[in-house]
């Protein structure tokens, strides 16, 4: 694959996993995201770099849990809450459905339920606490 093609795959991965501004892709195909999966770790490292930068910067002004909260919030903003949405759907489906079909129906529903709220709250709290 050409360097230009690899660059396009990296841009596609960043576009799919984050809300960061990126250059436009010159071409797109239905399997572009699948081909860009090899660059998902780099996109994740970029999110971590941004979150870490926010943590370090905020720690210059505040102490305690506030810098950690701001760093976690930055990660959520950069990703558009992609992982939190998936976690909430999974928690709602597994916690609220008694059959396979009902669980899948709950996971497809865009509304968030009690199990989803609890999962997000506990996970974000654990991230800030850690």
């Amino acid at each position: 694959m050409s360097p230009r093609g690899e660059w396009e795959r990296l841009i596609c991965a960043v576009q799919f996993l984050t809300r960061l501004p990126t250059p436009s892709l010159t071409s797109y195909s239905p399997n572009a995201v699948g081909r860009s999966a090899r660059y998902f770790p780099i996109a994740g490292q970029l999110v971590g770099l941004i979150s870490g930068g926010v943590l370090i910067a905020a720690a210059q002004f505040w102490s305690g849990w506030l810098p950690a909260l701001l760093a976690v919030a930055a990660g959520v903003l950069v990703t558009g809450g992609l992982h939190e949405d998936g976690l909430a759907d999974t928690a709602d489906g597994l916690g609220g459905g008694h059959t396979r079909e009902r669980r899948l129906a709950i996971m497809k529903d865009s509304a968030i339920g009690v199990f989803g709220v609890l999962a997000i709250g506990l996970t974000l709290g654990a991230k800030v606490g850690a």
Side-chain angles (χ1 to χ4, degrees):
M1 180 51 67
S2 71
R4 175 73 181 168
E6 295 303 313
W7 174 251
E8 294 257 331
R9 287 186 171 114
L10 173 61
I11 295 302
C12 184
V14 173
Q15 285 178 350
F16 180 69
L17 295 172
T18 74
R19 302 289 181 163
L20 296 172
T22 59
S24 297
L25 295 173
T26 57
S27 64
Y28 180 80
S29 65
N31 59 356
V33 173
R35 287 194 324 263
S36 73
R38 73 178 76 172
Y39 294 105
F40 285 9
I42 294 174
Q45 290 172 351
L46 181 60
V47 173
L49 183 66
I50 292 168
S51 296
V54 168
L55 178 67
I56 291 168
Q60 302 303 310
F61 300 100
W62 302 289
S63 62
W65 57 269
L66 186 58
L69 177 66
L70 294 173
V72 170
V76 171
L77 289 173
V78 168
T79 63
L82 178 68
H83 295 89
E84 289 76 17
D85 181 53
L87 173 64
D89 288 343
T90 301
D92 282 336
L94 295 176
H98 296 296
T99 65
R100 181 179 188 275
E101 292 76 23
R102 182 66 184 133
R103 287 183 184 124
L104 291 174
I106 290 171
M107 288 182 198
K108 289 180 184 178
D109 187 356
S110 63
I112 188 168
V114 173
F115 291 106
V117 170
L118 291 172
I120 290 174
L122 293 171
T123 302
L124 292 177
K127 285 183 180 182
V128 170

mmCIF file of all heavy atoms in Angstrom, residues 57-98:
data_model
loop_
_atom_site.group_PDB
_atom_site.id
_atom_site.type_symbol
_atom_site.label_atom_id
_atom_site.label_comp_id
_atom_site.label_asym_id
_atom_site.label_seq_id
_atom_site.Cartn_x
_atom_site.Cartn_y
_atom_site.Cartn_z
ATOM 1 N N ALA A 57 -1.808 20.089 32.503
ATOM 2 C CA ALA A 57 -2.083 21.528 32.516
ATOM 3 C C ALA A 57 -2.963 21.914 33.700
ATOM 4 O O ALA A 57 -2.692 22.911 34.390
ATOM 5 C CB ALA A 57 -2.739 21.948 31.197
ATOM 6 N N ALA A 58 -4.011 21.148 33.942
ATOM 7 C CA ALA A 58 -4.924 21.471 35.045
ATOM 8 C C ALA A 58 -4.237 21.327 36.396
ATOM 9 O O ALA A 58 -4.535 22.083 37.334
ATOM 10 C CB ALA A 58 -6.160 20.575 34.981
ATOM 11 N N ALA A 59 -3.300 20.393 36.518
ATOM 12 C CA ALA A 59 -2.584 20.190 37.780
ATOM 13 C C ALA A 59 -1.677 21.376 38.117
ATOM 14 O O ALA A 59 -1.267 21.529 39.263
ATOM 15 C CB ALA A 59 -1.776 18.902 37.728
ATOM 16 N N GLN A 60 -1.399 22.222 37.129
ATOM 17 C CA GLN A 60 -0.614 23.426 37.385
ATOM 18 C C GLN A 60 -1.428 24.472 38.150
ATOM 19 O O GLN A 60 -0.872 25.364 38.783
ATOM 20 C CB GLN A 60 -0.107 24.030 36.073
ATOM 21 C CG GLN A 60 0.736 23.092 35.234
ATOM 22 C CD GLN A 60 1.943 22.562 35.966
ATOM 23 O OE1 GLN A 60 2.713 23.314 36.554
ATOM 24 N NE2 GLN A 60 2.110 21.242 35.958
ATOM 25 N N PHE A 61 -2.758 24.367 38.070
ATOM 26 C CA PHE A 61 -3.641 25.354 38.687
ATOM 27 C C PHE A 61 -4.424 24.817 39.873
ATOM 28 O O PHE A 61 -4.747 25.567 40.786
ATOM 29 C CB PHE A 61 -4.629 25.894 37.643
ATOM 30 C CG PHE A 61 -3.954 26.552 36.483
ATOM 31 C CD1 PHE A 61 -3.790 25.885 35.280
ATOM 32 C CD2 PHE A 61 -3.453 27.842 36.600
ATOM 33 C CE1 PHE A 61 -3.166 26.489 34.201
ATOM 34 C CE2 PHE A 61 -2.814 28.462 35.528
ATOM 35 C CZ PHE A 61 -2.678 27.785 34.330
ATOM 36 N N TRP A 62 -4.768 23.549 39.842
ATOM 37 C CA TRP A 62 -5.600 22.954 40.880
ATOM 38 C C TRP A 62 -4.979 21.668 41.388
ATOM 39 O O TRP A 62 -4.162 21.050 40.721
ATOM 40 C CB TRP A 62 -7.006 22.642 40.342
ATOM 41 C CG TRP A 62 -7.711 23.837 39.818
ATOM 42 C CD1 TRP A 62 -8.214 24.872 40.540
ATOM 43 C CD2 TRP A 62 -7.990 24.124 38.449
ATOM 44 N NE1 TRP A 62 -8.794 25.787 39.696
ATOM 45 C CE2 TRP A 62 -8.672 25.355 38.410
ATOM 46 C CE3 TRP A 62 -7.739 23.473 37.249
ATOM 47 C CZ2 TRP A 62 -9.110 25.949 37.239
ATOM 48 C CZ3 TRP A 62 -8.166 24.052 36.073
ATOM 49 C CH2 TRP A 62 -8.846 25.276 36.078
ATOM 50 N N SER A 63 -5.411 21.255 42.549
ATOM 51 C CA SER A 63 -4.977 19.970 43.093
ATOM 52 C C SER A 63 -6.213 19.131 43.386
ATOM 53 O O SER A 63 -7.337 19.580 43.193
ATOM 54 C CB SER A 63 -4.151 20.178 44.363
ATOM 55 O OG SER A 63 -4.938 20.802 45.355
ATOM 56 N N GLY A 64 -5.982 17.926 43.861
ATOM 57 C CA GLY A 64 -7.107 17.058 44.196
ATOM 58 C C GLY A 64 -7.694 16.391 42.966
ATOM 59 O O GLY A 64 -6.994 16.072 42.008
ATOM 60 N N TRP A 65 -8.995 16.202 42.980
ATOM 61 C CA TRP A 65 -9.672 15.431 41.940
ATOM 62 C C TRP A 65 -10.032 16.256 40.709
ATOM 63 O O TRP A 65 -10.346 15.692 39.664
ATOM 64 C CB TRP A 65 -10.926 14.779 42.507
ATOM 65 C CG TRP A 65 -11.887 15.764 43.112
ATOM 66 C CD1 TRP A 65 -11.935 16.170 44.413
ATOM 67 C CD2 TRP A 65 -12.917 16.484 42.432
ATOM 68 N NE1 TRP A 65 -12.923 17.096 44.583
ATOM 69 C CE2 TRP A 65 -13.553 17.305 43.376
ATOM 70 C CE3 TRP A 65 -13.362 16.514 41.114
ATOM 71 C CZ2 TRP A 65 -14.602 18.151 43.057
ATOM 72 C CZ3 TRP A 65 -14.411 17.354 40.788
ATOM 73 C CH2 TRP A 65 -15.017 18.158 41.755
ATOM 74 N N LEU A 66 -9.990 17.589 40.777
ATOM 75 C CA LEU A 66 -10.414 18.407 39.641
ATOM 76 C C LEU A 66 -9.577 18.185 38.379
ATOM 77 O O LEU A 66 -10.147 18.035 37.290
ATOM 78 C CB LEU A 66 -10.452 19.889 40.027
ATOM 79 C CG LEU A 66 -11.012 20.833 38.970
ATOM 80 C CD1 LEU A 66 -12.434 20.435 38.577
ATOM 81 C CD2 LEU A 66 -10.967 22.263 39.464
ATOM 82 N N PRO A 67 -8.258 18.148 38.442
ATOM 83 C CA PRO A 67 -7.499 17.852 37.216
ATOM 84 C C PRO A 67 -7.868 16.501 36.592
ATOM 85 O O PRO A 67 -7.963 16.388 35.365
ATOM 86 C CB PRO A 67 -6.039 17.867 37.681
ATOM 87 C CG PRO A 67 -6.044 18.753 38.878
ATOM 88 C CD PRO A 67 -7.365 18.490 39.557
ATOM 89 N N ALA A 68 -8.084 15.493 37.427
ATOM 90 C CA ALA A 68 -8.470 14.179 36.908
ATOM 91 C C ALA A 68 -9.842 14.237 36.247
ATOM 92 O O ALA A 68 -10.051 13.653 35.181
ATOM 93 C CB ALA A 68 -8.459 13.148 38.026
ATOM 94 N N LEU A 69 -10.774 14.938 36.867
ATOM 95 C CA LEU A 69 -12.112 15.088 36.285
ATOM 96 C C LEU A 69 -12.034 15.785 34.929
ATOM 97 O O LEU A 69 -12.674 15.352 33.965
ATOM 98 C CB LEU A 69 -13.014 15.867 37.239
ATOM 99 C CG LEU A 69 -14.424 16.160 36.724
ATOM 100 C CD1 LEU A 69 -15.211 14.871 36.574
ATOM 101 C CD2 LEU A 69 -15.135 17.115 37.664
ATOM 102 N N LEU A 70 -11.244 16.837 34.834
ATOM 103 C CA LEU A 70 -11.100 17.555 33.564
ATOM 104 C C LEU A 70 -10.442 16.685 32.497
ATOM 105 O O LEU A 70 -10.827 16.726 31.323
ATOM 106 C CB LEU A 70 -10.311 18.842 33.778
ATOM 107 C CG LEU A 70 -11.003 19.903 34.639
ATOM 108 C CD1 LEU A 70 -10.054 21.053 34.925
ATOM 109 C CD2 LEU A 70 -12.285 20.390 33.973
ATOM 110 N N ALA A 71 -9.471 15.873 32.899
ATOM 111 C CA ALA A 71 -8.807 14.979 31.939
ATOM 112 C C ALA A 71 -9.773 13.923 31.412
ATOM 113 O O ALA A 71 -9.807 13.640 30.206
ATOM 114 C CB ALA A 71 -7.595 14.321 32.593
ATOM 115 N N VAL A 72 -10.563 13.326 32.296
ATOM 116 C CA VAL A 72 -11.552 12.331 31.871
ATOM 117 C C VAL A 72 -12.601 12.998 30.972
ATOM 118 O O VAL A 72 -12.989 12.445 29.935
ATOM 119 C CB VAL A 72 -12.202 11.641 33.089
ATOM 120 C CG1 VAL A 72 -13.388 10.788 32.670
ATOM 121 C CG2 VAL A 72 -11.169 10.782 33.805
ATOM 122 N N ALA A 73 -13.030 14.194 31.345
ATOM 123 C CA ALA A 73 -14.007 14.921 30.527
ATOM 124 C C ALA A 73 -13.446 15.228 29.138
ATOM 125 O O ALA A 73 -14.163 15.130 28.137
ATOM 126 C CB ALA A 73 -14.428 16.216 31.225
ATOM 127 N N ALA A 74 -12.173 15.572 29.070
ATOM 128 C CA ALA A 74 -11.550 15.833 27.774
ATOM 129 C C ALA A 74 -11.580 14.591 26.895
ATOM 130 O O ALA A 74 -11.886 14.667 25.698
ATOM 131 C CB ALA A 74 -10.113 16.318 27.966
ATOM 132 N N GLY A 75 -11.285 13.441 27.483
ATOM 133 C CA GLY A 75 -11.339 12.190 26.715
ATOM 134 C C GLY A 75 -12.734 11.886 26.199
ATOM 135 O O GLY A 75 -12.908 11.459 25.057
ATOM 136 N N VAL A 76 -13.731 12.134 27.040
ATOM 137 C CA VAL A 76 -15.123 11.902 26.624
ATOM 138 C C VAL A 76 -15.499 12.866 25.495
ATOM 139 O O VAL A 76 -16.141 12.477 24.513
ATOM 140 C CB VAL A 76 -16.087 12.040 27.825
ATOM 141 C CG1 VAL A 76 -17.529 12.023 27.368
ATOM 142 C CG2 VAL A 76 -15.836 10.920 28.831
ATOM 143 N N LEU A 77 -15.097 14.127 25.616
ATOM 144 C CA LEU A 77 -15.407 15.106 24.575
ATOM 145 C C LEU A 77 -14.715 14.773 23.262
ATOM 146 O O LEU A 77 -15.318 14.876 22.190
ATOM 147 C CB LEU A 77 -15.017 16.511 25.032
ATOM 148 C CG LEU A 77 -15.876 17.121 26.121
ATOM 149 C CD1 LEU A 77 -15.285 18.442 26.603
ATOM 150 C CD2 LEU A 77 -17.296 17.331 25.628
ATOM 151 N N VAL A 78 -13.457 14.380 23.331
ATOM 152 C CA VAL A 78 -12.698 14.073 22.112
ATOM 153 C C VAL A 78 -13.295 12.880 21.377
ATOM 154 O O VAL A 78 -13.350 12.862 20.147
ATOM 155 C CB VAL A 78 -11.204 13.835 22.449
ATOM 156 C CG1 VAL A 78 -10.457 13.227 21.279
ATOM 157 C CG2 VAL A 78 -10.542 15.133 22.860
ATOM 158 N N THR A 79 -13.774 11.888 22.115
ATOM 159 C CA THR A 79 -14.345 10.699 21.473
ATOM 160 C C THR A 79 -15.839 10.826 21.202
ATOM 161 O O THR A 79 -16.427 9.939 20.584
ATOM 162 C CB THR A 79 -14.119 9.443 22.332
ATOM 163 O OG1 THR A 79 -14.811 9.600 23.574
ATOM 164 C CG2 THR A 79 -12.653 9.181 22.563
ATOM 165 N N GLY A 80 -16.450 11.878 21.690
ATOM 166 C CA GLY A 80 -17.894 12.022 21.523
ATOM 167 C C GLY A 80 -18.677 11.034 22.375
ATOM 168 O O GLY A 80 -19.828 10.745 22.087
ATOM 169 N N GLY A 81 -18.035 10.492 23.406
ATOM 170 C CA GLY A 81 -18.711 9.538 24.278
ATOM 171 C C GLY A 81 -18.958 8.188 23.622
ATOM 172 O O GLY A 81 -19.831 7.431 24.059
ATOM 173 N N LEU A 82 -18.178 7.853 22.600
ATOM 174 C CA LEU A 82 -18.373 6.602 21.860
ATOM 175 C C LEU A 82 -18.318 5.378 22.773
ATOM 176 O O LEU A 82 -19.205 4.521 22.729
ATOM 177 C CB LEU A 82 -17.303 6.487 20.766
ATOM 178 C CG LEU A 82 -17.316 5.229 19.904
ATOM 179 C CD1 LEU A 82 -18.548 5.217 19.017
ATOM 180 C CD2 LEU A 82 -16.064 5.157 19.057
ATOM 181 N N HIS A 83 -17.311 5.306 23.622
ATOM 182 C CA HIS A 83 -17.171 4.140 24.498
ATOM 183 C C HIS A 83 -18.238 4.137 25.584
ATOM 184 O O HIS A 83 -18.755 3.078 25.955
ATOM 185 C CB HIS A 83 -15.775 4.115 25.122
ATOM 186 C CG HIS A 83 -14.699 3.934 24.114
ATOM 187 N ND1 HIS A 83 -14.096 4.992 23.470
ATOM 188 C CD2 HIS A 83 -14.131 2.820 23.624
ATOM 189 C CE1 HIS A 83 -13.197 4.522 22.628
ATOM 190 N NE2 HIS A 83 -13.196 3.207 22.693
ATOM 191 N N GLU A 84 -18.571 5.293 26.100
ATOM 192 C CA GLU A 84 -19.588 5.371 27.147
ATOM 193 C C GLU A 84 -20.953 4.963 26.604
ATOM 194 O O GLU A 84 -21.729 4.301 27.295
ATOM 195 C CB GLU A 84 -19.634 6.797 27.718
ATOM 196 C CG GLU A 84 -18.425 7.167 28.550
ATOM 197 C CD GLU A 84 -17.165 7.470 27.741
ATOM 198 O OE1 GLU A 84 -17.266 7.720 26.525
ATOM 199 O OE2 GLU A 84 -16.074 7.430 28.326
ATOM 200 N N ASP A 85 -21.239 5.329 25.365
ATOM 201 C CA ASP A 85 -22.502 4.930 24.743
ATOM 202 C C ASP A 85 -22.582 3.419 24.598
ATOM 203 O O ASP A 85 -23.605 2.797 24.912
ATOM 204 C CB ASP A 85 -22.655 5.606 23.379
ATOM 205 C CG ASP A 85 -23.952 5.241 22.697
ATOM 206 O OD1 ASP A 85 -25.021 5.398 23.318
ATOM 207 O OD2 ASP A 85 -23.902 4.791 21.535
ATOM 208 N N GLY A 86 -21.498 2.813 24.141
ATOM 209 C CA GLY A 86 -21.465 1.357 24.004
ATOM 210 C C GLY A 86 -21.590 0.648 25.346
ATOM 211 O O GLY A 86 -22.291 -0.360 25.465
ATOM 212 N N LEU A 87 -20.933 1.197 26.353
ATOM 213 C CA LEU A 87 -21.028 0.626 27.698
ATOM 214 C C LEU A 87 -22.458 0.702 28.220
ATOM 215 O O LEU A 87 -22.985 -0.267 28.769
ATOM 216 C CB LEU A 87 -20.086 1.354 28.655
ATOM 217 C CG LEU A 87 -20.188 0.978 30.121
ATOM 218 C CD1 LEU A 87 -19.787 -0.479 30.338
ATOM 219 C CD2 LEU A 87 -19.335 1.905 30.966
ATOM 220 N N ALA A 88 -23.104 1.856 28.032
ATOM 221 C CA ALA A 88 -24.481 2.028 28.509
ATOM 222 C C ALA A 88 -25.432 1.068 27.801
ATOM 223 O O ALA A 88 -26.291 0.446 28.447
ATOM 224 C CB ALA A 88 -24.935 3.471 28.307
ATOM 225 N N ASP A 89 -25.294 0.931 26.490
ATOM 226 C CA ASP A 89 -26.152 -0.004 25.752
ATOM 227 C C ASP A 89 -25.955 -1.433 26.240
ATOM 228 O O ASP A 89 -26.922 -2.182 26.423
ATOM 229 C CB ASP A 89 -25.851 0.062 24.248
ATOM 230 C CG ASP A 89 -26.347 1.338 23.600
ATOM 231 O OD1 ASP A 89 -27.189 2.035 24.211
ATOM 232 O OD2 ASP A 89 -25.882 1.648 22.487
ATOM 233 N N THR A 90 -24.712 -1.819 26.456
ATOM 234 C CA THR A 90 -24.422 -3.172 26.924
ATOM 235 C C THR A 90 -24.989 -3.410 28.317
ATOM 236 O O THR A 90 -25.621 -4.439 28.578
ATOM 237 C CB THR A 90 -22.902 -3.422 26.921
ATOM 238 O OG1 THR A 90 -22.410 -3.230 25.592
ATOM 239 C CG2 THR A 90 -22.570 -4.818 27.404
ATOM 240 N N ALA A 91 -24.774 -2.455 29.222
ATOM 241 C CA ALA A 91 -25.278 -2.608 30.591
ATOM 242 C C ALA A 91 -26.803 -2.672 30.608
ATOM 243 O O ALA A 91 -27.386 -3.489 31.342
ATOM 244 C CB ALA A 91 -24.794 -1.451 31.459
ATOM 245 N N ASP A 92 -27.456 -1.824 29.819
ATOM 246 C CA ASP A 92 -28.917 -1.866 29.761
ATOM 247 C C ASP A 92 -29.411 -3.204 29.227
ATOM 248 O O ASP A 92 -30.351 -3.799 29.767
ATOM 249 C CB ASP A 92 -29.459 -0.734 28.878
ATOM 250 C CG ASP A 92 -29.470 0.601 29.581
ATOM 251 O OD1 ASP A 92 -29.506 0.626 30.825
ATOM 252 O OD2 ASP A 92 -29.461 1.631 28.876
ATOM 253 N N GLY A 93 -28.778 -3.693 28.158
ATOM 254 C CA GLY A 93 -29.205 -4.962 27.568
ATOM 255 C C GLY A 93 -29.006 -6.134 28.496
ATOM 256 O O GLY A 93 -29.896 -6.969 28.677
ATOM 257 N N LEU A 94 -27.833 -6.204 29.105
ATOM 258 C CA LEU A 94 -27.547 -7.334 29.991
ATOM 259 C C LEU A 94 -28.316 -7.238 31.303
ATOM 260 O O LEU A 94 -28.694 -8.262 31.870
ATOM 261 C CB LEU A 94 -26.046 -7.426 30.259
ATOM 262 C CG LEU A 94 -25.176 -7.745 29.038
ATOM 263 C CD1 LEU A 94 -23.704 -7.723 29.412
ATOM 264 C CD2 LEU A 94 -25.570 -9.063 28.414
ATOM 265 N N GLY A 95 -28.543 -6.036 31.770
ATOM 266 C CA GLY A 95 -29.249 -5.873 33.033
ATOM 267 C C GLY A 95 -30.755 -5.916 32.915
ATOM 268 O O GLY A 95 -31.451 -6.286 33.863
ATOM 269 N N GLY A 96 -31.280 -5.553 31.745
ATOM 270 C CA GLY A 96 -32.729 -5.427 31.618
ATOM 271 C C GLY A 96 -33.436 -6.507 30.833
ATOM 272 O O GLY A 96 -34.654 -6.615 30.880
ATOM 273 N N GLY A 97 -32.698 -7.300 30.094
ATOM 274 C CA GLY A 97 -33.335 -8.313 29.265
ATOM 275 C C GLY A 97 -33.187 -9.709 29.826
ATOM 276 O O GLY A 97 -32.145 -10.069 30.353
ATOM 277 N N HIS A 98 -34.260 -10.496 29.700
ATOM 278 C CA HIS A 98 -34.209 -11.871 30.206
ATOM 279 C C HIS A 98 -33.995 -12.891 29.094
ATOM 280 O O HIS A 98 -33.586 -14.012 29.361
ATOM 281 C CB HIS A 98 -35.493 -12.193 30.972
ATOM 282 C CG HIS A 98 -35.661 -11.345 32.188
ATOM 283 N ND1 HIS A 98 -34.801 -11.387 33.259
ATOM 284 C CD2 HIS A 98 -36.581 -10.405 32.492
ATOM 285 C CE1 HIS A 98 -35.190 -10.523 34.176
ATOM 286 N NE2 HIS A 98 -36.261 -9.908 33.734
#
